[in-house]
Structures are given as structure tokens and as C-alpha cells.
């Protein structure tokens, strides 16, 4: 049972320890309409966009209304081109190594297929793998006779590097697919160390950075991945239906798309076609141009804010939320020890996670319940049916955190009683 003083103490500890940070929370709140509407802790689902992002989308839709979709696209061609450069600047690569997609799942599917995993070869996947990618991997395993292996984990549930090296040392052709930060916990995989192993043992390395771009510092050269896929709508605060990938230049040249499209290929004779040499070979012609313009604005805002500063702020906010929740009697943190991101997962004694998130929504506190069906290799493996997930962003202030903690403490006190 939670005592009222305990809950109060937890709320009091909720100060964001970010004195000196260049992140200006008050200003971010001014720029973010949604920050005034609810206490939004669902950046890992879809973060609140700024007014400038929304305005870029809406203005383009208005232009399409007036002049038509193709004509509108022609007018903003240069701005759409600039999105590639903005994405590249954020990841530390060149613009021709960027491909735009409509979702991270599409990017992961298209790019994994491009590796053409052959019968008898092996895919090693992290336990942090997201549901849609895992289902694709299992389908390939079934239909193409691929050996699908889950990477062994260490005591903190991260990829066990020594065990991974022992697997790779057998010299079998291997693709490594790793989720940097999962949907289901605050874990952060040792992506750079995995990159060293991938390069040492000549394994293809595909990184799912859906939860980490805009959240943690990312430099693809330092990480050593061949491919990185991410989405726009989470920690980058871009519109829904936007995503992009980095494909290392030499790697892209060696991987023809399995489903070429007029965007990246040219049908030159009855039975032959040319494929462009850049990452755009993986794109489709059709795309939501309005969303891409919004993505460009969000990318530039993220760069201007500064990724190192944002990462520091977010991980500190994650720590504050995690440790304050841990102090509430009846609450158990579900993140593995060593969790170091702004994703915080927890359980409340005697109350289903979906009930917790519904009760918090009644107080305008937005979190979600993540079921094991979104991550069987993680939550299922830990015999957890669902967790509550709170994921702050730079527009969350102390009042938001206090409302979250107060709400959870109240729910924990009730313990599922009506
Ligand atoms: C780690 C991770 N990978 C991939 C995805 C899939 O992203 P999308 O919904 O854009 O396909 C998600 C979505 O939550 C995710 O959390």
C-alpha cells in the first residue's frame, strides 16, 4: 500500500536535474500546442510535433488543394531534396546514402530483403527486435530455410558481446539485425561494439534505430552499421507516415532492390531496366510530400536544438521518471538494470497495464500499455504480459512529471479496487 507521504515524497523528487542544459523546456512548450493539452509521455509512440512541423504539412496540403499533387510537388522539389541532407547531417553520412520510406517497418523489410538472405545462411537478431520485423524474420526463416538465431544476452538483457563473437567466429554468412532501443524497455544495445564485431567477421549489420534517432547520439560511421532505419514520428517529432534509412554507399551499390520502382529505376527496354546507384533505389515513387516537408522541419529543429544536449536531457529525464516511479510503493520498474534511455517501463501491483494507462488518461496523463505481443522475444521471454510505458520529451516539465507520479501513486494505492 502506498502511503500518502510516500507518494508526496516521490513527487517532490521529480525535479529535472538539468540546470545548465541548453534545452529550453518553457520555449519548447510554447512551440508545442499539445504540451498545453495533456501531460504527454508517449514520445516512444508518437511525440508531439511543433507548430512549425504541423504548419509545413498543412500548407502543403493546401497547395495540393489549389494546384494539384504533382504540380505542388514540383514547386517544393528543392525543399524535399533538402530533407536528404538534413537526415544525413543528423546521422553523420552523405545525402545520397539516405532513402525515405513511409514507416520503419517498410524500411526494415525492404532493406533486409535486399540482403537476399540465402538458404543455409544465418540471421542473428537481438531480443529487442520489434514485432513487425520479428514476424518478417520468422516468415523468411519458414519460407527460405534461413537459420534464425536470437543473440545471447547478458545480465542486463543486452546482446552478450563475447557470446555473439563466439557465434560469428564460425565464419557462416550472417546478417545481424539489432534494435538500438526496443519498444518494450529502456534498454540500450551496445551498437558500436556490435559494429566492430560485424566488421571483424564480415557480417551484414542492419540497425533498427526507430526509438533512438532524435533521442540518443547517432553516428553511423562510429557505429559501423551497413544500414540504419528509423521513423519520423517518435523522438524526432516529425509527422506520422514518415521514415528514412541510411544505406552505406558501397553496400547500396551491391544490393539491388527486390521490388524496383520507377522512383529508383528506369525501364529502358522491354525486359531490362537500370537501377540508380544511390540509396534512392529502395524508394517508391508515391509518397506523402506534405509529411516529408514536415519531416524536414523536424530534422532541422532537432539539429538546431543539438542532439548531444537533447540526448543528455532525455536520458536524465528518463532517470528522474524511472527513479521517482521506483520510489512509489506498489510500483515495480520493468526496465532491465542499466536501462539508459528516456523509455521507462513499469508495473503496478494488482492493476493491469491497460487499466493503468486508462486511469492515467482520465487525468490527461498519456502513457501506453505495451503488450508482450509487441515483443515476445523480450517481454514474452521475461513472462511479462504487458508493461506501462512512459516516454518523456523535451516539452515535459516538472508539472507533467508530478502529475504522472501523482496519478501512478493514486492507482497504486487503490491497487485495482474500484
Ligand atoms: C524498435 C522499433 N522498431 C520498429 C518499429 C516500427 O516502426 P513503424 O511503426 O514506423 O513501422 C517500432 C515501432 O514502435 C519500434 O519501436
Amino acid at each position: 500500500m502506498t502511503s500518502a507521504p510516500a507518494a508526496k515524497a516521490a513527487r517532490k523528487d521529480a525535479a529535472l536535474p538539468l540546470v545548465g542544459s541548453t534545452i529550453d523546456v518553457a520555449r519548447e512548450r510554447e512551440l508545442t500546442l499539445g504540451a498545453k493539452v495533456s501531460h504527454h509521455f508517449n514520445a516512444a509512440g508518437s511525440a508531439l510535433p511543433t507548430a512549425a512541423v504541423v504548419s509545413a504539412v498543412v500548407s502543403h496540403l493546401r497547395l495540393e488543394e489549389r494546384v494539384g499533387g504533382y504540380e505542388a510537388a514540383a514547386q517544393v522539389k528543392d525543399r524535399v531534396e533538402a530533407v536528404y541532407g538534413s537526415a544525413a547531417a543528423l546521422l553523420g553520412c552523405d545525402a545520397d546514402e539516405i532513402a525515405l520510406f513511409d514507416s520503419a517497418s517498410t524500411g526494415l523489410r525492404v532493406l533486409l530483403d535486399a540482403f537476399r538472405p540465402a538458404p543455409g545462411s544465418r540471421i542473428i537478431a537481438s531480443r529487442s527486435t520489434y514485432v513487425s520485423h520479428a514476424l518478417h524474420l520468422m516468415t523468411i526463416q519458414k519460407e527460405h530455410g534461413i537459420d534464425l538465431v536470437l543473440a545471447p544476452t547478458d545480465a542486463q538483457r543486452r546482446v552478450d558481446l563475447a557470446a555473439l563473437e563466439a557465434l560469428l567466429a564460425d565464419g557462416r554468412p550472417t546478417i545481424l539485425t539489432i534494435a538500438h532501443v526496443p519498444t518494450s524497455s529502456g534498454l540500450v544495445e551496445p551498437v558500436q561494439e556490435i559494429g566492430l564485431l560485424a566488421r571483424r567477421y564480415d557480417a551484414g549489420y542492419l540497425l533498427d534505430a526507430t526509438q533512438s534517432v532524435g533521442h540518443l547520439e547517432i553516428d553511423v560511421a562510429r557505429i559501423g552499421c551497413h544500414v540504419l532505419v528509423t521513423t519520423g514520428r517518435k523522438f524526432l517529432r516529425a509527422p506520422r507516415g514518415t521514415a528514412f534509412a541510411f544505406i552505406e554507399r558501397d553496400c547500396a551499390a551491391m544490393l539491388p532492390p527486390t521490388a524496383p520502382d520507377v522512383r529508383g529505376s528506369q525501364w529502358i527496354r522491354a525486359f531490362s531496366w537500370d537501377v540508380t546507384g544511390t540509396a534512392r533505389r529502395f524508394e517508391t515513387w508515391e509518397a506523402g510530400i506534405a509529411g516529408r516537408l514536415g519531416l524536414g522541419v523536424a530534422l532541422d529543429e532537432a539539429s538546431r536544438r543539438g542532439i548531444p544536449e537533447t540526448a543528455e536531457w532525455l536520458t536524465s529525464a528518463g532517470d528522474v521518471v524511472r527513479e521517482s516511479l521506483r520510489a512509489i510503493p506498489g510500483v515495480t520498474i520493468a526496465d532491465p538494470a542499466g536501462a539508459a534511455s528516456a523509455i521507462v517501463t513499469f508495473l503496478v501491483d494488482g492493476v493491469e497495464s491497460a487499466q493503468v494507462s486508462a486511469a492515467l488518461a482520465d487525468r490527461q496523463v498519456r502513457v501506453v500499455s505495451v503488450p508482450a505481443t509487441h515483443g515476445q522475444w523480450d517481454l514474452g521471454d521475461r513472462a511479462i504480459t504487458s508493461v506501462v510505458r512512459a516516454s518523456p520529451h523535451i516539452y515535459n516539465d516538472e508539472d507533467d512529471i508530478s502529475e504522472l507520479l501523482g496519478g501512478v501513486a493514486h492507482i497504486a494505492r487503490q491497487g485495482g479496487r474500484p
Side-chain angles (χ1 to χ4, degrees):
M1 267 291 256
T2 307
S3 65
K8 223 172 163 187
R11 292 174 68 169
K12 197 167 103 314
D13 289 339
L16 291 168
L18 296 164
V19 180
S21 170
T22 56
I23 299 295
D24 185 345
V25 176
R27 177 158 166 71
E28 292 298 336
R29 291 177 70 78
E30 264 168 41
L31 301 173
T32 308
L33 175 67
K36 297 165 193 121
V37 174
S38 70
H39 309 286
H40 195 271
F41 288 94
N42 193 15
S46 187
L48 297 172
T50 63
V53 168
V54 176
S55 160
V57 176
V58 173
S59 320
H60 190 73
L61 292 176
R62 288 289 175 218
L63 185 62
E64 289 185 344
E65 181 184 30
R66 276 203 310 282
V67 304
Y70 284 16
E71 294 77 6
Q75 286 188 29
V76 297
K77 196 165 172 279
D78 291 350
R79 280 170 60 206
V80 173
E81 272 307 308
V83 176
Y84 293 83
S86 301
L90 207 77
L91 300 183
C93 63
D94 290 325
D96 68 314
E97 295 176 300
I98 296 291
L100 302 182
F101 292 100
D102 58 3
S103 73
S105 298
T106 304
L108 288 165
R109 171 170 48 74
V110 166
L111 295 168
L112 182 78
D113 286 350
F115 275 101
R116 290 179 175 67
S121 68
R122 174 174 60 188
I123 297 179
I124 301 179
S126 60
R127 282 200 170 271
S128 49
T129 300
Y130 184 71
V131 46
S132 57
H133 192 47
L135 296 175
H136 183 212
L137 295 173
M138 288 186 281
T139 305
I140 296 177
Q141 177 193 35
K142 258 197 185 145
E143 295 182 0
H144 300 294
I146 307 299
D147 195 6
L148 176 59
V149 177
L150 295 186
T153 45
D154 62 17
Q156 301 191 344
R157 293 197 67 82
R158 306 185 321 162
V159 170
D160 181 322
L161 296 167
L164 178 64
E165 178 156 21
L167 277 174
L168 291 173
D170 67 9
R172 274 180 71 186
T174 298
I175 298 167
L176 278 172
T177 176
I178 308 294
H180 194 175
V181 174
T183 201
S184 49
S185 86
L187 173 138
V188 180
E189 293 285 12
V191 290
Q192 204 168 318
E193 291 83 350
I194 293 171
L196 286 175
L197 293 177
R199 299 287 167 159
R200 187 174 307 152
Y201 294 98
D202 208 17
Y205 181 14
L206 193 157
L207 183 63
D208 174 359
T210 302
Q211 293 290 6
S212 57
V213 173
H215 175 181
L216 304 177
E217 284 189 74
I218 305 273
D219 178 336
V220 287
R222 209 176 315 141
I223 292 173
C225 53
H226 297 97
V227 168
L228 174 150
V229 179
T230 190
T231 188
R233 73 182 183 282
K234 297 184 189 290
F235 286 91
L236 275 174
R237 309 179 62 193
R240 293 199 64 176
T242 60
F244 61 92
F246 151 79
I247 304 108
E248 192 183 51
R249 188 172 295 112
D250 295 347
C251 183
M254 281 172 8
L255 302 176
T258 56
D261 179 274
V262 63
R263 168 72 171 157
S265 301
Q266 214 185 352
W267 196 10
I268 47 172
R269 278 182 293 279
F271 293 98
S272 56
W273 69 97
D274 282 341
V275 183
T276 182
T278 70
R280 276 183 217 195
R281 56 174 43 195
F282 300 110
E283 293 187 350
T284 54
W285 163 257
E286 181 47 11
I289 303 297
R292 288 188 175 179
L293 293 174
L295 171 64
V297 174
L299 286 166
D300 292 343
E301 285 180 343
S303 287
R304 264 200 306 276
R305 236 177 252 129
I307 291 293
E309 294 78 4
T310 304
E312 195 193 353
W313 196 98
L314 287 174
T315 48
S316 303
D319 281 351
V320 168
V321 170
R322 191 176 293 112
E323 295 318 312
S324 305
L325 284 168
R326 202 192 299 281
I328 299 176
V331 173
T332 309
I333 294 299
D335 292 330
S341 77
I343 294 183
V344 179
T345 58
F346 62 98
L347 300 162
V348 178
D349 285 354
V351 193
E352 297 282 337
S353 296
Q355 263 179 281
V356 175
S357 91
L360 287 173
D362 288 343
R363 298 166 157 246
Q364 305 308 320
V365 175
R366 307 287 172 195
V367 299
V368 291
S369 158
V370 180
T373 52
H374 286 197
Q376 288 291 3
W377 296 340
D378 175 24
L379 293 179
D381 184 55
R382 291 192 274 154
I384 296 175
T385 50
S386 62
V387 289
V388 189
R389 184 183 72 194
S391 44
H393 213 311
I394 50 170
Y395 41 69
N396 286 125
D397 62 6
E398 275 126 358
D399 180 51
D400 286 336
I401 295 185
S402 179
E403 287 298 319
L404 168 69
L405 298 176
V408 173
H410 177 79
I411 295 162
R413 248 190 332 268
Q414 299 289 107
R417 286 189 310 278

